[in-house]
Amino acid sequence: MEEYIVSARKYRPISFDTVVGQQALTTTLKNAVKSGKLAHAYLFCGPRGVGKTTCARIFAKAINCLTPTAEGEACGQCESCQAFNEQRSYNIFELDAASNNSVEHIKSLMEQTRIPPQIGKYKVFIIDEVHMLSTAAFNAFLKTLEEPPAHVIFILATTEKHKILPTILSRCQIYDFERMTVRNTIDHLKSVAEKEGITYEEEALAVIAEKADGGMRDALSIFDQATSFCQGNITYQKVIEDLNVLDSENYFQIIDLSIENKVSDIMVLLNSIISKGFDGGLLIAGLAKHVRNVLMARDEQTLPLLEVSDQQRERYKQQAKKCSAPFLYKALQLMNQCDINYRQSSNKRLLTELTLIEIAQITQPDEGAGSGRKPRRLKSLFKQLIQQAQPKKAAPQVAAAEPVVSTPSVDSSKSRLSKDTNVSSKPAAVASTTYNSASRPQLKDKIGFSWNNLRNKDNPKSKMSIIPGSLSNDDPNLARINDQESFEQQDLELQWMSMCNRMPQQLSGIASRMKNMTPVITEFPHVELVVENQLAKDQIENIKGSILSTLKTYLHNKSIDFTIRVAEHQEQVRPLTRSEQYEVMAKENPSIKKLRDLLDLELA
């Protein structure tokens, strides 16, 4: 029985003309051999399995050929070529830098460079995986590489050029090898299959070429594996079964179903794919590549960018006619977002399903509109409900006097609704947001009071409405807004804190600082606010008019005067820590300490 040799070794190129996919590079090397203009050091770099070491051997053989051809190829008949073919040449040395990366190995190599060749003109040293050399070995190699003997040529090969010292790179001619295209790989596999007497389907070879990811050696290894599985008849179905590759037919079906908005059919198809052992992330990545190919197939100019078989290219063109460009763009955006979030997701299948549902709804018309827009977002629905819940009419004086306030607080809305005698006439959306305070669970010793009740449980002013623009024309509070009503320090502090809580989002920064400030009634009705520095004063001065209007409205006194000044050095107080704040609160209200003890709480 004849000894079996894998295809990657059996069909390894032996001349420049048989090298696949590196036409420009091999032409340059052949011209250098013809002209005799040879550099002393070459660097071949590129991905795995694209022919770096093979080209280095062919080049070394052509350099030492005694009778090279007119095209720059080795003759294969002279003594030097015969010695190379029989692996007994003393002029060509190969060194694996991965296992010989020390300074001693490089020094031993440098000793051999002193001996001139016995047959031929040059001694050629091929150092594979040169990036594996240590820094000390590189430094030992530098001098010889810069000024080698006239009969020495170095050919370095690497897959990671960025790991090589710049001083080495500057002394070499650098040749960048390209990745194998799918078309070149398919053509080469066809020639190998014909030589081996193996029948094949071109789509099956295309799957092998895509799986190889640009490496010819990987493609030949996969080809041998598929040949063994298929027993000499390589078919598409057997190849995807052997390589555990998801059938591209699934991608075509998902896009067709998405155009027709058949979400349920897509979910059934997804379940069958996952049940076969395929990961959701693999499906999304493959579908994104498929959609990209469909997008490229829409234009004749981008059609050559499809690295697929001729049959697949026709299928892409047919599906591209059914898909609009906005649909493809949006689908790619959704799948890219899914790919970004896939690793962090705790429920990967749900993320995949949501992505496919969104893709299937891209072309779905809006309900009742038929405008072709995407389904309504939940955020817009909530916004509409809020607008419906707001009263249609408000007192003009309140609206003009409340530019700072934006949203009501819970306590204020509760106190207003408890006082309003016409609650049943309000919209249902507002009524549904209220709750009965009597139904709330309360602890003993009145711990369940709100903060407003703890501070002002006997003060009737704490029950008045602080909802902006919500006073009706017949509300009795409206007639009291311009009164000269008196107020106390606790009333001022309550309305100040309520105003800070209702300030809009764009003023959240200054609102947080104002919560830590306490306005003081210096001489009624004059109110003074002491701030820490000039910057805080300038910020509050910008909204001073709105603050003053708010205080006049909710304290029912139009004569209020409001001033701001920077605190003197002796007035500045050190801010309390959280523990100190708790101690002050517990001292003022023992119920807080009792609550902490009952619930066994710890201060965060």
Side-chain angles (χ1 to χ4, degrees):
M1 183 177 179
E2 186 179 357
E3 182 182 1
Y4 174 74
I5 303 176
V6 296
S7 299
R9 292 180 56 197
K10 186 176 182 179
Y11 296 99
R12 191 170 193 170
I14 58 175
S15 64
F16 286 121
D17 291 336
T18 56
V19 176
V20 180
Q22 310 294 343
Q23 184 66 31
L25 190 144
T26 54
T27 301
T28 304
L29 295 179
K30 286 194 293 183
N31 292 337
V33 174
K34 284 193 299 183
S35 62
K37 297 180 180 179
L38 301 173
H40 66 277
Y42 295 86
L43 176 63
F44 293 170
C45 51
R48 68 185 190 280
V50 295
K52 299 184 297 295
T53 306
T54 298
C55 285
R57 292 177 178 176
I58 296 173
F59 188 42
K61 179 181 176 181
I63 287 173
N64 280 315
C65 181
L66 301 178
T67 57
T69 63
E71 289 79 16
E73 296 275 9
C75 66
Q77 304 296 328
C78 65
E79 175 60 24
S80 177
C81 292
Q82 291 291 335
F84 178 83
N85 293 336
E86 297 173 5
Q87 298 182 357
R88 55 181 178 85
S89 175
Y90 289 100
N91 293 341
I92 300 174
F93 298 89
E94 287 192 39
L95 178 69
D96 179 22
S99 55
N100 301 277
N101 55 6
S102 64
V103 177
E104 288 72 17
H105 292 115
I106 293 299
K107 288 183 177 180
S108 176
L109 185 67
M110 297 303 102
E111 290 293 331
Q112 298 182 34
T113 60
R114 301 179 181 180
I115 305 173
Q118 302 300 317
I119 301 175
K121 299 180 181 179
Y122 299 97
K123 268 195 171 184
V124 183
F125 294 87
I126 301 174
I127 304 178
D128 204 3
E129 302 297 335
V130 70
H131 66 274
M132 298 293 289
L133 289 178
S134 63
T135 304
F138 269 129
N139 293 329
F141 185 41
L142 272 177
K143 186 61 178 178
T144 304
L145 186 64
E146 184 177 10
E147 297 178 358
H151 57 271
V152 172
I153 293 178
F154 292 104
I155 303 178
L156 314 179
T158 180
T159 56
E160 302 182 45
K161 182 174 67 173
H162 61 279
K163 291 185 178 181
I164 300 178
L165 296 179
T167 50
I168 298 291
L169 296 176
S170 63
R171 289 167 169 80
C172 302
Q173 281 191 11
I174 301 175
Y175 290 80
D176 290 303
F177 283 68
E178 301 176 358
R179 303 180 71 88
M180 297 294 171
T181 63
V182 173
R183 174 49 51 190
N184 286 339
T185 305
I186 292 175
D187 293 339
H188 188 63
L189 293 179
K190 283 182 180 179
S191 64
V192 173
E194 291 170 357
K195 294 177 183 178
E196 293 291 330
I198 299 173
T199 58
Y200 59 86
E201 294 180 1
E202 186 172 348
E203 290 185 358
L205 299 183
V207 173
I208 295 175
E210 292 178 6
K211 188 75 172 180
D213 194 24
M216 186 61 73
R217 182 172 62 240
D218 293 352
L220 290 171
S221 299
I222 299 173
F223 176 81
D224 289 343
Q225 177 183 342
T227 302
S228 178
F229 180 78
C230 300
Q231 292 296 310
N233 182 21
I234 302 178
T235 62
Y236 176 77
Q237 291 297 331
K238 289 184 179 180
V239 167
I240 63 174
E241 180 182 355
D242 179 39
L243 302 181
N244 196 29
V245 176
L246 186 58
D247 190 356
S248 61
E249 183 65 26
N250 294 297
Y251 302 137
F252 285 101
Q253 291 183 17
I254 290 176
I255 297 303
D256 289 338
L257 293 174
S258 298
I259 297 174
E260 300 173 5
N261 311 126
K262 296 182 178 179
V263 176
S264 57
D265 294 341
I266 294 177
M267 293 297 101
V268 173
L269 179 58
L270 173 63
N271 183 68
S272 65
I273 293 173
I274 294 179
S275 63
K276 294 178 183 178
F278 292 103
D279 182 58
L282 177 66
L283 171 65
I284 293 297
L287 186 61
K289 183 178 180 181
H290 174 85
V291 174
R292 177 259 182 194
N293 289 342
V294 175
L295 184 62
M296 295 299 106
R298 284 178 52 84
D299 194 339
E300 291 293 334
Q301 293 182 347
T302 56
L303 196 59
L305 298 179
L306 298 181
E307 295 187 346
V308 294
S309 62
D310 296 335
Q311 296 177 352
Q312 289 286 87
R313 183 177 284 107
E314 288 300 321
R315 292 201 62 184
Y316 280 121
K317 290 175 64 177
Q318 293 299 324
Q319 191 170 72
K321 295 178 182 178
K322 298 185 291 184
C323 299
S324 63
F327 167 78
L328 298 175
Y329 293 147
K330 184 61 179 178
L332 284 174
Q333 182 182 7
L334 291 173
M335 287 183 287
N336 180 62
Q337 193 65 32
C338 177
D339 184 59
I340 294 173
N341 299 329
Y342 192 81
R343 290 186 179 180
Q344 288 77 22
S345 175
S346 59
N347 194 340
K348 294 179 170 52
R349 174 164 182 168
L350 178 60
L351 177 62
T352 305
E353 290 175 344
L354 288 175
T355 302
L356 294 179
I357 291 173
E358 288 182 296
I359 294 173
Q361 291 181 336
I362 294 176
T363 58
Q364 180 176 339
D366 196 7
E367 294 181 2
S371 59
R373 296 179 298 174
K374 60 183 180 180
R376 187 179 301 170
R377 295 181 180 177
L378 293 178
K379 184 176 181 181
S380 62
L381 292 177
F382 290 146
K383 183 177 181 181
Q384 186 175 1
L385 289 175
I386 294 173
Q387 292 175 350
Q388 292 175 357
Q390 290 179 350
K392 296 182 179 180
K393 294 183 179 180
Q397 297 89 339
V398 180
E402 190 60 14
V404 175
V405 208
S406 64
T407 57
S409 64
V410 176
D411 291 334
S412 60
S413 62
K414 183 176 65 176
S415 61
R416 181 183 181 274
L417 288 175
S418 64
K419 192 171 183 178
D420 199 339
T421 60
N422 196 20
V423 176
S424 59
S425 65
K426 297 296 179 182
V430 177
S432 63
T433 59
T434 62
Y435 57 91
N436 187 3
S437 61
S439 63
R440 294 169 55 193
Q442 297 186 1
L443 299 176
K444 296 181 178 180
D445 298 326
K446 302 181 181 180
I447 301 180
F449 282 118
S450 66
W451 288 110
N452 285 339
N453 289 334
L454 288 174
R455 298 174 63 181
N456 308 286
K457 61 182 179 180
D458 295 327
N459 182 18
K461 286 183 172 37
S462 63
K463 299 180 181 180
M464 71 180 187
S465 172
I466 55 173
I467 303 177
S470 62
L471 297 177
S472 59
N473 292 328
D474 56 350
D475 197 310
N477 284 331
L478 183 62
R480 300 170 54 196
I481 287 181
N482 295 323
D483 290 346
Q484 300 289 340
E485 221 176 282
S486 63
F487 56 90
E488 299 178 358
Q489 179 66 29
Q490 59 181 1
D491 301 328
L492 175 62
E493 294 178 8
L494 170 63
Q495 298 305 330
W496 179 269
M497 187 62 64
S498 300
M499 177 187 65
C500 294
N501 290 333
R502 302 191 310 270
M503 290 176 69
Q505 182 65 29
Q506 58 268 27
L507 299 177
S508 59
I510 186 61
S512 299
R513 300 187 65 179
M514 289 171 58
K515 288 180 182 179
N516 297 323
M517 304 175 185
T518 303
V520 179
I521 304 175
T522 56
E523 183 178 351
F524 187 85
H526 179 76
V527 177
E528 183 183 62
L529 179 68
V530 180
V531 298
E532 299 176 356
N533 49 54
Q534 185 64 35
L535 178 61
K537 180 183 177 183
D538 295 340
Q539 291 179 340
I540 300 178
E541 286 283 0
N542 294 332
I543 57 175
K544 178 181 177 181
S546 300
I547 295 175
L548 183 58
S549 300
T550 303
L551 295 178
K552 287 181 179 180
T553 299
Y554 291 106
L555 291 174
H556 304 290
N557 194 313
K558 64 180 182 179
S559 301
I560 295 177
D561 185 21
F562 180 64
T563 59
I564 308 168
R565 70 177 178 87
V566 180
E568 300 294 338
H569 180 71
Q570 61 273 13
E571 294 178 324
Q572 295 181 357
V573 181
R574 180 181 64 85
L576 300 179
T577 63
R578 290 191 175 184
S579 59
E580 292 173 344
Q581 291 176 3
Y582 167 75
E583 292 176 0
V584 173
M585 294 170 61
K587 184 177 180 181
E588 295 178 355
N589 193 342
S591 299
I592 297 178
K593 186 176 185 305
K594 186 176 296 185
L595 174 65
R596 177 184 178 182
D597 296 337
L598 287 174
L599 300 180
D600 194 19
L601 301 177
E602 294 183 2
L603 188 64

